[in-house]
Amino acid sequence: MAKMADINLKEVTLIVGVVTACYWNSLFCGFVFDDVSAILDNKDLHPSTPLKTLFQNDFWGTPMSEERSHKSYRPLTVLTFRLNYLFSELKPMSYHLLNMIFHAAVSVIFLKVCRLFLDNKSSVIASLLFAVHPVHTEAVTGVVGRAELLSSIFFLAAFLSYTKSKGPDNSIVWTPIALTVFLVAVATLCKEQGITVVGICCVYEVFIAQGYTLPLLCTTAGQFLRGKGGIPFSMLQTLIKLIVLMFSTLLLVVIRVQVIQSQLPVFTRFDNPAAVSPTPTRQLTFNYLLPVNAWLLLNPSELCCDWTMGTIPLIESFLDIRNLATFTFFCFLGALGVFSLRYPGDSSKTVLMALCLMALPFIPASNLFFPVGFVVAERVLYVPSMGFCILVAHGWQKISNKSVLKKLSWVCLSMVILTHALKTLHRNWDWESEYTLFMSALKVNKNNAKLWNNVGHALENEKNFERALKYFLQATYVQPDDIGAHMNVGRTYKNLNRTKEAEESYMMAKSLMPQIIPGKKYAARIAPNHLNVYINLANLIRANESRLEEADQLYRQAISMRPDFKQAYISRGELLLKMNKPLKAKEAYLKALELDRNNADLWYNLAIVHIELKEPNEALKNFNHALELNPKHKLALFNSAILMQESGEVKLRPEARKRLLSYINEEPQDANGYFNLGMLAMDDKKDTEAEMWMKKAIKLQADFRSALFNLALLYSQTAKELMALPILEELLRYYPDHIKGLILKGDILMNQKKDILGAKKCFEKILEMDPSNVQGKHNLCVVYFEEKDLLKAERCLVETLALAPHEEYIQRHLNIVRDKISSSSLIEQPVFPAAKTSGVGEKILAENVKEIGSEPRPTQIIKTSDNKSQSKSNKQLGKITDKETPHKTTKDIKEIEKKRVAALKRLEEIERILNGE
């Protein structure tokens, strides 16, 4: 072989320019397909997640210890995603840009590798063909394809390093070998197939560096076994290097097995139907997949993002015509193998290395040693395509050397590179969105139910449920036994409020699940997402209060089938709270926490349980734990702040305010946050600040009942009663039956505006709605007194006293009126005023005056939503609901009593005036 020549700047510029021209439009694509799980739903990207977690979880952010883990261990690739997140969070352009840069880097390094086996011109041709090949679109434009790109960089670097391990006189240079082992380890941490470069290094050492052919090796081995000769020194040197390589590889394999805890990932028959098929169907189909992959390299005209399920029908007979393709492929491959191993010369060595690059990196995806979760995947052809490109470039070199075919070979080559580049550019647009991606896939393959499902998911995400339902139903027709498809139909019916059809679809999906046998373990043969059928069905039927026990049975059924099914414990805990069984709910959440202690939502839900158990201190501890794990947990921020506010402890108010400020930063459009900041300010006597927050809450939600009332109350308590009136008018326009608002309005009309008739209408309306309302009744009595109708006022006060016989001020007022009647002479003097709202004029909690309209106590838990099958799972946070609370703290009660005493003193003064003292 010719000595490797250095690459020059012009060649690098050409390759980088071609990559940019082919992939510039990928910068405008979003996160689609597997990107959603690997990027959008992966908490390992967030700075709040400890770095060590990246080395404990799989590629998708699932702990490797969990059986639902995909067992794909690629921490260095996830680390690059995390760096992207650090600079641009979840803006897809930076992720696509880095992928494009990595692809350009791989293409340039590949050019350097090609120089080992091809001349300068052919090397550039091979590199250009690799740079533009359409089959790479999935690896480059799909963000998760970065695993292929990163692994390839270190894969090629390891190989280039190993080529320098041969010193003068066939001596061993250990530094490149040590660097090779290190780079192999790094490549493997980017993607598992990186370890296969060791095999390529071994082939290179034996057949390229040492120049052996297969006949020569057989002759030498035969002589040694017959005792007719020893092992040559050069062969001993080779054996030593191979032993070091194999030992390091074995060590990496052992470590990798330890990482996955000796467990293979769980795949269903839908992911890879041939893997669970009997002999000879399994063997015939797997062998046929090899020419299918080779055809994608040769003719990438019909590309598809998903080749699972029924994309490629099983070959169940030796008479299947497709077996001819398998036979032809192996004949061609065998011929090339014999040529490359049997004959010496540069051409055979080039063909051998091309075949090795095609075959060895493909082995992990070939189903030969363990089943994989797909039938065909275009991205796994990224490295094998290097061998293909070398083979094509070498063939072109042979043809172009013949003068007769030289011009034709250049024309054909130019056409291939140009059409491939245009196809790649066009293919990138398919990855613009999930809808465009899956619709493009359906043009190629209509027999894959997963594609119909995924188009449905894309439409569902756009809230286009009617169209989504059509695609989900089509998925059930294409694959009638697809559990996920029936689950999707059920969920869509639920979104369309067609609960009967939804339940029927869930029941159909449930009927396709294996029957439960006591003591039988199902985890190994049930996909975790299929178990969500129990969760979704239970979530549906528990809306009916009479079917709560039935829903609980479904949750327990899911747990019995998979004891580590965390979501079942979470959903059951929520249901048990609804059934008023907080202790059992606590047990469910604690069990879920055993499975995942780093789940902020679980700690939040446990806090809810402690609230129900009247354990506010424990609740606050759990809220704090949730916020330690996720400082931006919105519901934990909000509800813990309210809990601190309700505690009555002044020292907790600054922290409560801080958390509410964080909450409105996360949820700037939620009026509840501003309202509760206003309530805190009112507690701290910061009237101007309270007014500002209340106005912001009302601006966001014009009909915010509690914000309107408390702003009016604030004005009335700060001598701005006339400013309170328009606020009360607005409140009563939205809520005409708001009793506290009517009382406050009547009080202001009577005492400030001297509008006795207007006040009378307010109090009469209160009594129409609630004849036993003491405040309204008493204040109406005051109106009768102001109207100088003493007899009517007396009757009114007698009735009021019957409603509240223990209220002394009513008895005293009755005595005053009776004295006036008996004296038969009414002196025009100030009379006792209408009792302000509560009868004593104080600002207290919702039972009396101050109205709490947002959720003052955290009674909303993180609810489970129907889980999407064969798509990302959704976690829907519960919304905050408006409610009042009758709860008063000790401090509130003391404040009430203090104000009541002051009010009674005021009444005594009024009585002295009325008596003429």
Side-chain angles (χ1 to χ4, degrees), residues 208 339-341 343-353 394:
I208 310 299
F339 169 76
S340 62
L341 291 171
Y343 302 104
D346 289 348
S347 181
S348 61
K349 291 177 180 178
T350 300
V351 172
L352 177 62
M353 292 309 299
H394 181 60

Side-chain angles (χ1 to χ4, degrees), residues 626-656:
L627 290 170
E628 286 173 13
L629 294 168
N630 179 9
K632 295 183 178 181
H633 194 291
K634 291 180 283 192
L635 285 180
L637 284 169
F638 181 84
N639 289 306
S640 63
I642 303 305
L643 196 60
M644 290 176 177
Q645 183 182 6
E646 275 202 326
S647 71
E649 295 185 35
V650 177
K651 64 181 181 180
L652 292 179
R653 285 181 188 168
E655 178 62 23

Side-chain angles (χ1 to χ4, degrees), residues 611-632:
I611 289 293
E612 295 298 319
L613 292 171
K614 306 294 188 294
E615 297 172 351
N617 291 334
E618 287 299 314
L620 191 55
K621 286 180 183 177
N622 287 307
F623 281 138
N624 292 340
H625 204 143
L627 290 170
E628 286 173 13
L629 294 168
N630 179 9
K632 295 183 178 181

